Amino acid sequence: ASKAFSPWIYSALADNDDLQKQRVISFTYVYWLALLMLALAIAWLSPLVLSALGESFRSGRDILAWVALGSAFSGMYFLVVVYVFYSKKNELLSVTSLTIGIANLVMSYLLVSKYGAVGAAQAYAASQFLMFSIVWMIASRCCPMPWQKALHHLISITGFRK
């Protein structure tokens, strides 16, 4: 996603057009929602698919659900990291990556000890969520965008708030 959409995002940032920035952020929110819905669909459908593959695959459904969720967070990260790259604050990514990597090791050790392979998948999902969340905070400070305005706009056009 980052490689596909970064030229469009870079262009919107360079133009410094508020409406274009709002469109980029609105797209980002819709994309994130689609990723989360895909992860939920995978989690929901995994018992059926894995059962069809055979008895030995059936136990993988919990693992697959956590990996799908972690992958959704990873995809969400790739859309916000573009703002950090644009602002040329890459050193902040190095510190974040190292910190999250260490946290992932600790979480993996603790969760694998308690839950086995499912714990490894949970640690992956948690570390991807942390990476996304922290990089989003960094991006919002490095490259201010209309995050709240775009969210309010999306809510108003979908009719959720009446």
Side-chain angles (χ1 to χ4, degrees), residues 46-125:
S46 66
L48 299 171
V49 173
L50 294 174
S51 292
L53 292 174
E55 188 64 39
S56 60
F57 290 93
R58 202 172 293 199
S59 64
R61 71 174 186 259
D62 293 334
I63 295 169
L64 190 55
W66 286 108
V67 169
L69 184 60
S71 296
F73 291 136
S74 178
M76 294 163 73
Y77 158 84
F78 281 114
L79 271 184
V80 294
V81 76
V82 172
Y83 302 106
V84 181
F85 293 150
Y86 181 82
S87 66
K88 295 181 171 73
K89 302 285 185 179
N90 298 359
E91 67 277 1
L92 298 172
L93 293 176
S94 300
V95 172
T96 303
S97 295
L98 181 62
T99 304
I100 298 300
I102 292 168
N104 186 38
L105 286 172
V106 172
M107 287 187 290
S108 292
Y109 176 78
L110 295 172
L111 292 171
V112 168
S113 297
K114 189 165 185 169
Y115 302 109
V118 173
Q122 290 170 332
Y124 168 72

Side-chain angles (χ1 to χ4, degrees), residues 9 12-13 20-22 24-25 83 139-140 143-148:
I9 294 170
L13 293 171
Q20 186 66 4
K21 286 182 179 181
Q22 189 172 329
V24 168
I25 298 304
Y83 302 106
S140 68
C143 189
M145 294 292 282
W147 294 101
Q148 288 183 337

